[in-house]
Amino acid sequence: MKMIKRHTIISITALFGISFGLLTSCSSSRMSSGGEVTGIAAARWSDNTPYGMVLISPGSIMAGPQGDSTWSAVNDSRGISVDAFWMDETEVTNAKYRQFVHWVRDSIIRERLADPAYCGNEDFKITEDREGNPIKPRLNWNKAIPWRTADEDEQRVIDGMYRTNPITGIKELDPTQLNYRYEVYNNAEAVKRKNRRNPITNEYEYADAPLITKDTAYIDEEGHVIRKTLTRRLTSEYDFINTYIVNVYPDTTTWVNDFENSMNEPYVRTYFSHGNYDNHPVVGVSWEQANAYCNWRTEFLKRSLGSNANHIEPFRLPTEAEWEYAARAGKNENIYPWNGDGTFAEDRGCFYANFKPNEGNYARDGFVITSQVGAYNANDFGLYDMAGNVSEWTSTAYAENISRMTSDLNPEYRYDASPDDPSIMKRKIVRGGSWKDVSHNIRSDIRMWEYQNGQRSYIGFRCVRTHIGFSNGKQK
């Protein structure tokens, strides 16, 4: 059978993520006896503890640099408050991120096995419901990929996801094909008054429809991913849907490119693929890839919930304020995730985190590069590795005057950079310091940044989810 070359991407739509759980009550419109107004109860849903996450209660803190004369750091702290959220107790590991990579691989294979241009096996696509009514086509995950029993055409599809290394001759996954497409509805922009019509006059706040910017992405005929940011007059709610195509494979070459004249090449071959590093934090993942992972994790959970998936609060990157509040366990006196201003436990003869204790001495804390997650004690919130190991992406864009730009209630500064924007507009805040940093740089009040498409051997991430249902500091 002649193969027709096509470029396949996996599409996930994430339009209206809300909160996770099952509906537990229904509202009633019955009048109370006696004619008194007693109110109508809204539907409620339980928010069970997400796997591997810790619930962070709402609170306040003096956030930001607290000053350090040794490092000429200026005191720029200010009071902020954050609402409740769930946070991963550890950084996302190689094993967990690899599950995302393999899901994208398996999705592309299923898509091609169902495509008439490749195999045309309709069993890999669901096009009808149980009653035989047509539905929007979706992949059939109950149909196993024939890894060991494939016929000639099926084997060609499977082999097409791999390449032979020209140097070693080893068959390996082709990372260039692992593109993940997803859509996000920008509710924050959609609800702004300037972008809504007056219900009485049916006109916008200004005479003309407001200008909006909209991210879009597609693959051209030559297989190149084209990303654009469109600026145009608002026409409908669909203008707030942003489309992204992200290659999800981490950059394993960062171990060489981040360190000149070093013998780090073995990490290139083994860090993401060898089982000995399964529980180490994933690195070489950009801010854009981390966001794609959060989207996939949300959709992956939705599938398991079935009809209960309409009430899912999406996974996302933490805001800078959430990250610092969680790292310092809500304590103003903590400049590290632990109590005190030292990094070495004299009574136990060990360090509190994985960092670079001395010049050139990465190994003194027990690890040369990253450690497995959770190798050190958790902070008082139950979070591990909030200092050192790897720096962590936040959702917050970097600006020199950010502390004066943001609210003191759930502060956040977002800037969705266009592909054509200068590099200076593509900076995102990273926190926590890493295995290669000295003690000052792993402080919880220190702000650093990296370009959103930057991939480093010392930057990883963890996810959060907004929690709904606190009253007076107690979970409902």
Side-chain angles (χ1 to χ4, degrees), residues 305-324:
L305 296 176
S307 60
N308 298 310
N310 293 329
H311 297 275
I312 295 179
E313 193 67 22
F315 293 97
R316 56 181 175 82
L317 293 177
T319 67
E320 181 192 30
E322 289 172 332
W323 193 97
E324 182 173 342

Side-chain angles (χ1 to χ4, degrees), residues 159-423:
D159 290 344
M161 287 300 301
Y162 293 81
R163 67 183 184 185
T164 300
N165 188 301
I167 307 299
T168 65
I170 297 175
K171 183 180 177 181
E172 58 190 18
L173 189 62
D174 182 3
T176 64
Q177 299 187 54
L178 298 173
N179 293 319
Y180 176 77
R181 179 185 184 274
Y182 68 103
E183 295 178 341
V184 176
Y185 182 78
N186 191 341
N187 191 63
E189 285 297 314
V191 300
K192 288 183 177 179
R193 291 189 181 92
K194 67 176 184 177
N195 292 330
R196 290 184 289 142
R197 291 181 184 272
N198 185 299
I200 299 176
T201 65
N202 199 34
E203 294 179 352
Y204 291 104
E205 183 176 335
Y206 304 102
D208 297 323
L211 286 172
I212 57 95
T213 57
K214 174 184 173 69
D215 292 330
T216 186
Y218 61 92
I219 292 184
D220 66 15
E221 295 179 354
E222 297 180 353
H224 300 134
V225 175
I226 306 300
R227 300 173 55 185
K228 293 182 177 180
T229 298
L230 308 177
T231 301
R232 66 188 188 199
R233 294 289 178 184
L234 176 62
T235 59
S236 73
E237 288 285 303
Y238 288 96
D239 284 335
F240 298 110
I241 297 176
N242 296 283
T243 304
Y244 302 97
I245 297 177
V246 179
N247 185 278
V248 303
Y249 204 82
D251 183 2
T252 59
T253 70
T254 57
W255 293 100
V256 168
N257 291 310
D258 286 345
F259 301 93
E260 292 186 1
N261 301 320
S262 62
M263 219 294 286
N264 290 341
E265 189 271 336
Y267 301 139
V268 174
R269 293 182 284 105
T270 62
Y271 186 80
F272 184 64
S273 58
H274 197 289
N276 283 357
Y277 292 109
D278 277 355
N279 292 322
H280 288 238
V282 68
V283 297
V285 172
S286 69
W287 182 87
E288 296 167 350
Q289 290 173 313
N291 276 289
Y293 175 91
C294 292
N295 175 270
W296 165 79
R297 187 174 173 183
T298 303
E299 298 300 322
F300 193 70
L301 177 60
K302 282 184 177 181
R303 281 186 193 81
S304 68
L305 296 176
S307 60
N308 298 310
N310 293 329
H311 297 275
I312 295 179
E313 193 67 22
F315 293 97
R316 56 181 175 82
L317 293 177
T319 67
E320 181 192 30
E322 289 172 332
W323 193 97
E324 182 173 342
Y325 174 74
R328 295 168 63 185
K331 298 178 181 179
N332 288 330
E333 62 271 21
N334 282 8
I335 62 172
Y336 292 105
W338 50 85
N339 299 327
D341 56 4
T343 57
F344 187 78
E346 298 287 350
D347 57 334
R348 299 197 303 272
C350 62
F351 287 92
Y352 290 126
N354 177 17
F355 65 109
K356 186 169 72 171
N358 296 109
E359 183 178 356
N361 191 347
Y362 297 88
R364 189 181 172 200
D365 57 17
F367 302 94
V368 175
I369 55 169
T370 62
S371 65
Q372 63 271 28
V373 297
Y376 298 86
N377 291 336
N379 72 356
D380 288 346
F381 278 175
L383 300 168
Y384 296 88
D385 302 314
M386 295 298 284
N389 212 14
V390 292
S391 298
E392 299 177 15
W393 290 111
T394 72
S395 61
T396 308
Y398 176 80
E400 282 75 5
N401 59 341
I402 185 173
S403 297
R404 294 182 291 276
M405 294 169 55
T406 55
S407 170
D408 57 2
L409 172 62
N410 295 317
E412 170 68 327
Y413 172 59
R414 286 197 66 92
Y415 180 76
D416 296 322
S418 148
D420 297 329
D421 278 338
S423 296

Side-chain angles (χ1 to χ4, degrees), residues 54-58 83-87 322 325-326 381 383 467 470:
V54 173
L55 181 59
I56 309 299
S57 302
D83 212 334
F85 59 96
W86 302 99
M87 188 175 216
E322 289 172 332
Y325 174 74
F381 278 175
L383 300 168
H467 174 73
F470 261 80

